[in-house]
Amino acid sequence: MYILFTYLLELGVAIASLFSKKVRKMWRGERHSFEILREKVDPNARYIWFHVASLGEFEQGRPLMERVRQNYPEYKILLTFYSPSGYEVRKDYKGADIICYMPIDTPTNAIRFLRLVRPVMAFFIKYEFWYNFLHILHHRNIPTYSICSIFRPDQIFFKWYGRKYGRVLKCFTHFFVQNEESKRLLAGIGQNNVDIVGDTRFDRVLQIKEAAKQLPIVEAFVHSGDPMRSKVFIAGSSWQPDEDIFIPFFNNHKDWKMIIAPHVISENHLAQIESKLQGKSVRYTQTSKEQAAEADCLIIDCFGLLSSIYRYGDVSYVGGGFGVGIHNTLEAGVWDIPVIFGPNNKKFQEAQGLLRDKGGFEITNASDFNQIMTGFIQDQKAILRAGSQAGNYVKKLTGATDIIMNSIQL
């Protein structure tokens, strides 16, 4: 049934590519993968394969990938993506020797792929459980690891009807999971090759913090004007429902400056944000330091800066919690600032940890947001306390990369 499904999926992707630009990129990229591999694979080299779904999983696997490259320079690295949103952003990443899409998981594709690459080891990040690729890796006795995976009772592996598909888990040499529940669930189906290591993203955000960029325009915006106007609110990866909550508040609180880095950077969305702002706003790529210094709101209309921008904030908001799920709260928390986010956060361990440690704050509506911000305004020491809690939470959970590296053998 799974094999039939994958062939139907391949057909469905081909049809959908006629109507969707994103799907078309994925379809063309997958078809082009074998061409890339035939051209770039060195038959005399030994490859370690990292597979990630998209950009978030790439950042999760990156600390391990870079440590492998540092400790074992005699090996080459192959990096594959499933989603265009990851591949298109990181296709020029210098930490891998070959980067391409992973072909759809049919038996034919898996055999062709592994014959070309012949990896000596494979790492699948978080939720990647591709039946045919994993079975062939297992059949060829290639050590294969599941990194930073999370398991929940509602997943197919733990349902009576998913037992046959659940055999795919036996193909992994070892699981490095994020929490105790994952280890318990795996033990319940006979998988005891498991270690709890946490999440390599904690290591990654510390790396990002250490390599953060100096941003003169942002600094001019933050440090200008009335010296009493010293507080800065930063909204990262925001969507329209998020913006409808925090923009009205700051329209009525002119003593705060605001930086908005929306998740979708399109002219329509940027214009929509500008129409809601009552103060003066400028776009990052279209302004100067002098103009930014006079603005009330700085809109970040490009990618790649947000993780460095959080350093300039007093309070942060991470978007997505009123949609499919919140974005990266760790990038904000590592800078010792409170993190506010919407209600769709229950499947995000880092958000739950921030809530428990009182460095994060959940809102369900504008009233919740107004109450939290009013509390911060009335007691500014509360900002420092919450920020310290957020930073400490991130720092205490680093070290997953070290544990994994000490466990694998090359």
Side-chain angles (χ1 to χ4, degrees), residues 14 91 168 211 216 250 255 313 335 386 402:
K91 60 186 176 182
V168 71
F250 291 102
D255 51 332
W335 289 105
D402 290 334

Side-chain angles (χ1 to χ4, degrees), residues 102-148:
M102 180 180 181
I104 288 177
D105 185 32
T106 65
T108 302
N109 283 344
I111 291 168
R112 286 179 66 197
F113 184 95
L114 293 170
R115 277 179 180 169
L116 281 167
V117 179
R118 295 174 288 107
V120 298
M121 186 173 287
F123 296 94
F124 285 68
I125 310 301
K126 202 171 184 180
Y127 292 131
E128 298 301 281
F129 307 107
W130 297 106
Y131 190 90
N132 294 305
F133 277 91
L134 287 167
H135 272 84
I136 296 172
L137 285 164
H138 181 64
H139 178 71
R140 296 185 178 187
N141 295 315
I142 297 170
T144 303
Y145 300 96
S146 178
I147 302 298
C148 296

